[in-house]
Every structure is written in C-alpha cells, then in structure tokens.
C-alpha cells in the first residue's frame, strides 16, 4: 500500500511506498482524485432495470383501448366510411388482441400490461362467453333452417338433400335462380309440400301456407325487378304464425369505407313491416348481411328475439368469420342455433330451434 507523502528536495510532492519506492506526486494526485468509472449504457437506470410495474405502458394502453372498443363499440362514429358498423360486424374477433398482447407482455416482462389485460378479457367474456359453444336455452317446438344457397351453386339437388337431413319444419332459401328453383322444389316437395316463392327468395313448409305476398324491402335506386322478400301465414298446431323470408342488400368494403347504405335502408323497411304485422307470432328467416351487433340492423333486432351473440358463423363457408344468416322470432324464443355442413354455396346453412310462447 502507499505510505505517507513528503516534500522532496526539488520541491515536488512525493509519496514513499512501504518498500521504499517513490512515485511522482503528479501521478499520486491523479490516483488520489480519480473519479469512479461510470458505465454510461446504464446511466439513469436503463429500461432493463426498470420495475415490472413501470414497463409495458404502451401494451397496457392498447389493452385498455381494446376493452373500450368492446364495451363501447356503439360509441364509434358511423358517419364517414361507417367504421362503427364495420367494427360491429367483426366484433368477436377483437378478442384476438388479448392473446397477442399477452404474449407481448410476457416477453416484455410487464406486470402492468398483464394486469391491464384482465380488463379486455373480462369484457369479451361478458359479451361472448355464452356463445362458446352456441347456447341452448331449452326445448323447441319448431326447427327452422336458413340458407343462402348462392346463385352459382352447381349442386342444388345435393344442397336440398343436406338441408332435409336437419329435419326442419321450415326451410328458407335465398339467391334462387330460375334454373335451380325447379330442382329445389322437386327435392323438397316430399317433406315440405307447401311453398311460397317471390323473386329470388322462397319458403318451404311442413304446414299449410296462406296469405302469401311480396315483402317490400327494396331500397330506392335498386332496379325494379329486385324482389327479395316474402311474407306468408303458416297454420301450425300452435296457431297461425307469420313467417317472413328476407335477403337484405349486400355490403362492400371499399377504399372509401364500409358501404352499407342500401342494406341499412332495407333494414328500416323490414323493421317497419315487422312493426305493422298483425299476427303476434312471427318468425323471420334470412340473409340479413349483418350481425346482431351491427347497429344497421337495429330496426329489426329491436323488435325480434334471436340467439343473440351465439357464434354459428355462416359466412364465408370456406372460413366463416361472421353470422349474417339469421333465424329470429317474436312472441317466441330462439332456443338454439348451429351451422350445418357445407353445401355448394359460399354460405353455411344454419338451423335454429324455436319455442313458442303458450
């Protein structure tokens, strides 16, 4: 170790080492006043050394945003480009953000983000937890099948056979073509002797049908020969039931946004027809080109019971992401809904049980 300092003959400070060695006073001063070495890479406590509760603020913010969109989707504006309707059409899929953010939070080792993810997970479970699998709320009196058979279906006979296997009481079809209609009629006639067809939509029934008439749901600006609605009265063991079959206009995703104008206008007309229906009991079957969450369908969903958010995704058949095919009822309860095996259509058929109020 170093000894005590002394002044040399030349007037310079010197320090004697225990073994007699002498070092320059200038070098000693440098050693004596040298500052501690600082690793500037970790100056100010770098992110690697931050608390797990201080990391992942961006991930936590995204989790809260996801929860907000799920819980308050109706607050998303629907003016330019209809973003609200677009969000609501695919609302269940917003839940995919939860596992993605979870992986990121684990890799980030962020306790803050992990806790924040409980919020969107809880909201999603509240909204859609009962839809896994599609719920069953009890026994049914009537089984109905709804199917957009596609005007490009190359196997209408096979499609009709597949629908019969579900043993329904009503079969509603859309996108009927003049060439395919006789094929469906022949294949279904033995099990469903009563028929009501208007334009491109039709109903086949085990029970007698009367008071068959077109259902006016045509928006302004669509060609005159556009007929996608039919209304009839089914005489059942439980009394008369008004049965509607409808096919609302298609929607498109364009560069300008989500195009729903005609669909929304047609939904208003359908809602008005439902409100004016004199029979208390009603069943609505159709391709409504909308989900029950989409506010564009509110004129209909506000007046009818359905299976709610039960998944049973029906479109597109190759990879179903949305249920735009519906069975709804009034003065009755839709107790279950499920998809049937794929046919030659780009939609999957759906089958729903209906319990009539006594």
């Amino acid at each position: 170790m170093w000894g005590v300092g002394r002044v040399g003959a030349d007037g310079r400070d010197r320090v004697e080492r225990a073994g007699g060695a002498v070092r320059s006073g200038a070098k000693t001063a440098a050693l004596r006043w040298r500052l501690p070495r600082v690793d500037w890479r970790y100056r100010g406590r770098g992110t690697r050394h931050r608390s797990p509760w201080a990391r992942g603020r961006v991930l936590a913010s995204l989790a809260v945003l996801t929860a907000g969109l799920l819980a308050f989707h109706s607050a998303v504006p629907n003016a330019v480009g209809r973003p609200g309707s677009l969000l609501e059409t695919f609302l269940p899929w917003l839940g995919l953000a939860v596992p993605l953010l979870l992986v990121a939070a684990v890799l980030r080792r962020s306790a803050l983000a992990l806790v924040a993810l409980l919020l969107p997970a809880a909201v999603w479970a509240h909204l859609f937890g009962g839809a896994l699998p599609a719920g069953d709320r009890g026994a049914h009196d009537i089984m109905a099948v709804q199917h957009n058979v596609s005007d490009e279906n190359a196997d209408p006979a096979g499609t009709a056979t597949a629908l019969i296997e579900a043993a329904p009481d009503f079969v509603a079809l859309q996108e009927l073509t003049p060439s395919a209609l006789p094929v469906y009629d022949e294949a279904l006639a033995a099990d469903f002797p009563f028929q009501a067809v208007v334009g491109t939509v039709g109903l086949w029934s085990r029970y007698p049908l009367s008071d068959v008439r077109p259902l006016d749901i045509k928006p302004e600006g669509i060609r005159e020969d556009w007929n996608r609605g039919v209304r009839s009265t089914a005489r059942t063991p439980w009394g008369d039931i008004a049965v509607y079959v409808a096919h609302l206009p298609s929607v498109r995703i364009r560069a300008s946004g989500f195009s729903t104008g005609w669909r929304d206008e047609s939904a208003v007309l359908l809602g008005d027809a439902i409100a004016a229906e004199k029979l208390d009991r009603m069943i609505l079957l159709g391709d409504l080109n909308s989900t029950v969450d989409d506010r564009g369908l509110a004129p209909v969903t506000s007046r009818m019971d359905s299976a709610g958010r039960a998944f049973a995704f029906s479109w597109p058949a190759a990879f179903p992401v949305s249920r735009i095919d519906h069975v709804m009822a009034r003065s009755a309860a839709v107790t279950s809904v499920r998809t049937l095996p794929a046919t030659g259509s780009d939609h999957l058929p759906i089958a729903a049980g209906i319990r009539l109020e006594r």
Side-chain angles (χ1 to χ4, degrees), residues 33-106:
W33 301 107
R34 180 181 296 169
L35 293 174
R37 176 175 293 179
V38 176
D39 191 338
W40 296 101
R41 290 176 299 174
Y42 305 118
R43 185 182 181 186
R45 293 182 61 84
T47 57
R48 193 175 70 177
H49 296 279
R50 292 168 65 183
S51 163
W53 294 100
R55 289 195 294 262
R57 293 176 182 175
V58 172
L59 295 176
S61 299
L62 291 174
V64 173
L65 175 62
T66 301
L69 290 174
L70 283 167
F72 305 107
H73 55 85
S74 60
V76 177
N78 215 18
V80 180
R82 317 294 285 179
S85 286
L86 181 60
L87 170 66
E88 290 162 343
T89 299
F90 302 102
L91 192 62
W93 295 96
L94 194 58
L96 287 178
V98 174
L100 292 176
L101 291 173
L102 176 62
V103 172
V106 171

Side-chain angles (χ1 to χ4, degrees), residues 199-223:
T200 59
V201 301
L203 173 69
W204 280 259
S205 169
R206 295 188 186 275
Y207 306 116
L209 299 176
S210 62
D211 196 15
V212 176
R213 60 178 184 266
L215 187 61
D216 185 12
I217 57 172
K218 182 174 74 67
E220 293 185 9
I222 292 184
R223 65 183 188 274

Side-chain angles (χ1 to χ4, degrees), residues 313-327:
F313 294 154
S314 62
W315 180 88
F319 186 79
V321 297
S322 183
R323 180 160 62 87
I324 61 177
D325 294 274
H326 299 276
V327 175

